[in-house]
Amino acid sequence: MRRHYATIKDIAHALNISVSTVSRALRDTYDVSADTRKLVLDMAMKLNYKPNFNATGLVKNSTHNLAVILPGITNYYFSTVFTGIQEIAYSHNYNIILYVTNDDADRELNIIRNLSFSSLDGLLVSVSSQAGSCDHFQEIIDDGIPVVFFDRVAADIRTSKVMQDDYNGAFEATTHLIANGYKKIAHIAGPEGLTFTDSRLNGYLDALSKHGMPIRKKWIIHSGFTQECGESDMEKLWKLNDKPDAVFAVNDRKAVGAIVMLKKKNIAVGKEVGVIGFTNDPMSAIISPSLSTIAEPAFEIGKKSCQLLLNHIKKKNFIPEEIILPGKLIVRESSIRS
Amino acid sequence: MRRHYATIKDIAHALNISVSTVSRALRDTYDVSADTRKLVLDMAMKLNYKPNFNATGLVKNSTHNLAVILPGITNYYFSTVFTGIQEIAYSHNYNIILYVTNDDADRELNIIRNLSFSSLDGLLVSVSSQAGSCDHFQEIIDDGIPVVFFDRVAADIRTSKVMQDDYNGAFEATTHLIANGYKKIAHIAGPEGLTFTDSRLNGYLDALSKHGMPIRKKWIIHSGFTQECGESDMEKLWKLNDKPDAVFAVNDRKAVGAIVMLKKKNIAVGKEVGVIGFTNDPMSAIISPSLSTIAEPAFEIGKKSCQLLLNHIKKKNFIPEEIILPGKLIVRESSIRS
DNA sequence: AAATTCACCGAGAACGTTACCGGTGGATTC
DNA sequence: GAATCCACCGGTAACGTTCTCGGTGAATTT
């Protein structure tokens, strides 16, 4: 059976003093002499006392718990963001309750609805890709719960947001392809309606028009984020009469899918068809030819959003901030013709 | 400012009935008429009532929180295990508090020490690789907290454990190399002292002796789990006078490192030197030549350990179980000579 | 018609902690 | 020497919920 942990009352009883004094001594606040404080601390150690967070949470109306809601954890980007979050939370003695939605909007809604805000100090979320309405987030924010969005942000909600510079990253990636002599550049995009999908699409489009390159609707394909999606997108592109000679993919997994498909068709990646991705997933260095990409500051995004959330929690009426962190072009083999 | 959520008292007051009745109605227990139950439920909905888990946790001495302690989350294996855990926890309405140790023994200890068991129903843990003494886990178990180990288990602690069949997987991998004509098989191992490192080493050794193959101490190299470690291990092997003609790596990341190093030296992976890994990380299918490996049932391990933990929590005096799930040989290019 | 049963409800204590307020006795002030 | 101050400590209520017990009035039994 579960043993009963020593409480503050046990300490008080053992020392023959009052619970209030013990409470004050343990928290090192005012109105307690050095002698009794030492007595209490020693006894607490001896009895293996551990504070009951339910009790403190009940009276202080604040636990040290943060909720993190992610579409998934089994990929480089989100797991790295999470590691960044964890790093900050750990150093500030906050615990993280992690929920993964599997990119399922219903599940996301269900999680939100069942969230117990009485035992939560704040919320970090990257929305599910199929998430339609974001009313449920607005409700939470209206209730006064600090919320920070990252990566996949909900555009029309006024709260703090942290993201990479999707537009400029995409612009740079496309420009890089142009600079390397590719003339007919396609875009393998993510699902429509997601903020960052749109930003990367716009970066791609603006880079093309700035350099007077042709824009063709058929060269823009929307689908999911997986490698398999990348493969079938590439296959579709290759069935076109007017084939592209380069591809900018919305993320590395799809870019890897594109490369896999091109290799299947015995097309020389780089020389014949250029490919560039987005993320800098470790896979991009492993695949051959290695994949050029825009490195995302995933770890930094995690750290920054957690810091923002903690500020939000500490200062009431904290003004929402939007932070955009730059990416970095990484040139490898898949995008150079030589 | 943070708004105050409606409590059970507010419902009682609005309906002019007692709190006890409301409490019973909400939990759908005995002694409440269908009429008042409906009244309560409607009012709860109207007031947007959310139960305060701190309060219930305080009186029932049980929250619906599980703690998971992992060495890291940014790799395929652990993130997949976690997804399995999450799946079961979600369907049983349990929350997961996730801690990552970064393979740091001190940090692991620190996390354990600060764990608040008053707001935790159980613990799932894969120990840090440098973890020396496991006394801190024994203490927790002695205190009656349900604990389940997975993957990296602490051998001398009596509690439930879930792991893949490391010994037989290693045996099968090594046998596969032998069957493909490799004669001088080396092993790139993990850090010493870890249970599963030892098991895989033993499977390797037994497969060799069963088939009368030579065993050489210099062909067995212990180091960390990263790709970089795999690269330098391979480099060491290649400096030997008596070079091996095949390598069984303790995991895919190290195997990938070995392949990268071999490619750097322009050695034909597969034909000249065979390589096989362990895990079935997605990377193993991406790298070329593609990597043969033993697929681990990571998702199943996550599900199983969470189920076990929940059983442990529900039934007091639950007898510890040890579950070993089989792996599966996946043959790709890196281990066939043809 | 009296006794028993039953369905339903309410009062109060308890969980472990903190916040607030008041009360000591001794030292300091005028 | 009386008044004031201060360091220190204790009692009590409160946080939101569940649990145990006892108490209604109506229905059923004998």
Side-chain angles (χ1 to χ4, degrees):
Chain A
M1 249 325 274
R2 186 145 172 177
R3 210 161 70 186
H4 196 72
Y5 275 100
T7 74
I8 217 171
K9 288 184 185 172
D10 298 328
I11 301 178
H13 191 255
L15 257 38
N16 206 24
I17 57 177
S18 77
V19 283
S20 359
T21 313
V22 176
S23 172
R24 267 169 292 164
L26 287 172
R27 279 172 301 143
D28 195 11
T29 50
Y30 59 103
D31 269 10
V32 52
S33 72
D35 291 351
T36 52
R37 211 174 92 71
K38 181 165 166 31
L39 243 48
V40 169
L41 258 41
D42 288 351
M43 184 57 77
M45 180 79 86
K46 187 179 160 196
L47 296 180
N48 191 24
Y49 166 78
K50 304 204 174 191
N52 187 314
F53 286 179
N54 286 319
T56 56
L58 188 56
V59 29
K60 307 232 291 190
N61 199 27
S62 133
T63 52
H64 262 208
N65 293 336
L66 268 30
V68 174
I69 300 181
L70 289 179
I73 190 75
T74 57
N75 70 63
Y76 168 76
Y77 179 78
F78 284 125
S79 59
T80 306
V81 170
F82 180 84
T83 308
I85 294 173
Q86 163 85 27
E87 217 54 35
I88 299 297
Y90 176 71
S91 66
H92 288 79
N93 271 311
Y94 274 78
N95 304 311
I96 299 181
I97 303 181
L98 177 57
Y99 299 92
V100 306
T101 64
N102 296 344
D103 252 329
D104 178 344
D106 289 342
R107 185 155 172 173
E108 177 176 297
L109 188 60
N110 194 261
I111 289 170
I112 299 279
R113 289 250 173 278
N114 287 314
L115 235 38
S116 167
F117 296 108
S118 47
S119 55
L120 242 44
D121 288 2
L123 195 58
L124 278 162
V125 30
S126 178
V127 300
S128 155
S129 63
Q130 297 121 358
S133 161
C134 284
D135 296 346
H136 41 297
F137 288 116
Q138 192 59 58
E139 282 177 30
I140 293 170
I141 294 168
D142 291 345
D143 285 346
I145 311 290
V147 176
V148 171
F149 285 103
F150 64 90
D151 184 45
R152 306 193 190 170
V153 304
D156 48 347
I157 292 185
R158 194 170 160 278
T159 187
S160 286
K161 297 166 189 176
V162 181
M163 45 210 153
Q164 55 278 348
D165 193 338
D166 293 307
Y167 174 86
N168 281 314
F171 190 93
E172 198 176 355
T174 312
T175 306
H176 166 73
L177 288 175
I178 296 170
N180 274 266
Y182 301 100
K183 304 249 180 262
K184 306 193 287 182
I185 301 171
H187 180 38
I188 293 181
E192 280 178 287
L194 230 55
T195 321
F196 86 95
T197 300
D198 293 346
S199 303
R200 293 184 192 177
L201 175 61
N202 289 332
Y204 156 81
L205 290 172
D206 286 2
L208 289 185
S209 36
K210 188 190 170 192
H211 293 89
M213 308 292 287
I215 293 176
R216 298 205 39 186
K217 280 247 171 75
K218 293 207 168 177
W219 287 349
I220 300 170
I221 300 191
H222 287 275
S223 69
F225 287 122
T226 66
Q227 181 184 328
E228 289 71 33
C229 292
E231 291 184 31
S232 68
D233 288 358
M234 190 68 233
E235 189 150 37
K236 276 180 201 153
L237 284 175
W238 212 247
K239 280 186 181 141
L240 261 39
N241 291 329
D242 192 7
K243 295 179 177 45
D245 66 354
V247 175
F248 162 52
V250 70
N251 68 7
D252 283 351
R253 277 180 292 159
K254 294 194 81 169
V256 164
I259 291 181
V260 166
M261 180 53 66
L262 287 170
K263 282 168 79 173
K264 245 182 221 167
K265 295 187 182 299
N266 280 318
I267 295 156
V269 175
K271 288 189 199 309
E272 279 183 73
V273 176
V275 179
I276 190 166
F278 209 116
T279 295
N280 198 27
D281 191 300
M283 249 197 278
S284 58
I286 295 298
I287 196 169
S288 67
S290 56
L291 174 66
S292 298
T293 190
I294 303 289
E296 292 182 283
F299 189 71
E300 288 302 319
I301 288 178
K303 281 174 69 175
K304 206 74 203 169
S305 22
C306 194
Q307 275 163 350
L308 225 56
L309 183 64
L310 292 182
N311 289 343
H312 216 310
I313 290 170
K314 262 148 211 167
K315 295 165 200 156
K316 49 194 173 189
N317 290 334
F318 180 77
I319 312 147
E321 280 184 41
E322 287 200 16
I323 295 181
I324 297 180
L325 298 171
K328 190 174 178 310
L329 173 67
I330 297 190
V331 179
R332 297 203 181 91
E333 298 165 352
S334 68
S335 65
I336 44 176
R337 282 217 144 132
S338 59
Chain B
M1 249 326 275
R2 185 146 173 177
R3 211 162 68 185
H4 196 71
Y5 274 101
T7 74
I8 217 173
K9 287 184 185 173
D10 298 328
I11 301 178
H13 191 253
L15 256 38
N16 207 24
I17 57 178
S18 79
V19 282
S20 358
T21 314
V22 176
S23 172
R24 266 168 293 166
L26 288 172
R27 278 171 302 141
D28 194 13
T29 50
Y30 61 105
D31 271 7
V32 52
S33 74
D35 290 353
T36 51
R37 212 173 91 74
K38 182 167 165 31
L39 244 49
V40 169
L41 257 40
D42 288 352
M43 183 57 77
M45 181 78 85
K46 187 180 161 199
L47 296 180
N48 190 25
Y49 167 77
K50 305 204 173 190
N52 187 315
F53 287 180
N54 285 321
T56 56
L58 189 56
V59 27
K60 307 233 292 188
N61 200 26
S62 133
T63 53
H64 262 206
N65 293 336
L66 267 30
V68 174
I69 301 182
L70 290 178
I73 189 75
T74 56
N75 70 64
Y76 169 77
Y77 179 79
F78 284 126
S79 59
T80 306
V81 170
F82 181 84
T83 308
I85 293 173
Q86 162 84 29
E87 217 54 35
I88 298 298
Y90 177 70
S91 66
H92 288 79
N93 272 311
Y94 274 78
N95 304 311
I96 299 181
I97 304 181
L98 177 58
Y99 299 92
V100 306
T101 63
N102 296 345
D103 253 330
D104 179 343
D106 289 341
R107 186 155 172 173
E108 178 178 294
L109 187 60
N110 194 261
I111 289 170
I112 299 278
R113 289 250 174 278
N114 287 315
L115 235 39
S116 166
F117 296 108
S118 46
S119 54
L120 243 43
D121 288 2
L123 194 57
L124 278 161
V125 29
S126 179
V127 300
S128 156
S129 63
Q130 296 120 359
S133 162
C134 284
D135 297 346
H136 41 299
F137 288 116
Q138 191 59 57
E139 282 177 29
I140 293 169
I141 293 168
D142 291 344
D143 284 347
I145 312 290
V147 176
V148 171
F149 284 103
F150 63 91
D151 185 45
R152 306 193 191 171
V153 303
D156 48 347
I157 292 185
R158 195 168 160 278
T159 187
S160 286
K161 298 167 188 173
V162 180
M163 45 209 153
Q164 55 277 347
D165 193 338
D166 292 307
Y167 174 85
N168 281 314
F171 190 93
E172 198 175 356
T174 311
T175 306
H176 165 73
L177 287 175
I178 297 171
N180 273 266
Y182 301 101
K183 305 249 180 262
K184 306 191 287 182
I185 303 172
H187 180 39
I188 293 182
E192 281 178 285
L194 231 55
T195 320
F196 85 95
T197 300
D198 293 347
S199 303
R200 293 184 192 177
L201 176 61
N202 289 332
Y204 156 81
L205 291 174
D206 286 1
L208 289 186
S209 34
K210 186 188 171 194
H211 293 88
M213 307 292 287
I215 294 175
R216 298 204 40 185
K217 279 246 170 78
K218 292 206 168 177
W219 288 348
I220 299 170
I221 300 191
H222 289 274
S223 70
F225 287 122
T226 65
Q227 181 184 328
E228 289 71 31
C229 291
E231 292 184 30
S232 68
D233 288 358
M234 189 70 233
E235 189 150 38
K236 276 181 204 155
L237 284 175
W238 211 246
K239 278 184 184 148
L240 260 39
N241 291 328
D242 192 7
K243 295 180 176 48
D245 66 354
V247 175
F248 161 53
V250 70
N251 69 6
D252 282 351
R253 277 180 292 159
K254 295 195 80 170
V256 164
I259 291 181
V260 166
M261 180 51 67
L262 287 170
K263 283 168 78 173
K264 244 182 223 169
K265 295 186 182 299
N266 280 317
I267 295 158
V269 175
K271 288 189 203 308
E272 277 183 75
V273 176
V275 178
I276 190 164
F278 209 115
T279 297
N280 199 27
D281 192 300
M283 248 197 279
S284 57
I286 296 299
I287 195 170
S288 67
S290 57
L291 174 66
S292 298
T293 191
I294 302 290
E296 290 181 282
F299 189 71
E300 288 302 320
I301 288 178
K303 282 175 68 176
K304 206 72 203 171
S305 22
C306 195
Q307 275 162 350
L308 224 56
L309 184 63
L310 292 182
N311 289 343
H312 216 309
I313 290 169
K314 263 150 208 163
K315 296 165 199 156
K316 49 194 170 187
N317 289 337
F318 179 77
I319 312 147
E321 280 183 43
E322 286 202 16
I323 295 180
I324 297 180
L325 298 171
K328 191 174 178 309
L329 174 67
I330 297 188
V331 179
R332 297 203 181 90
E333 298 166 353
S334 68
S335 65
I336 44 177
R337 282 218 143 129
S338 61

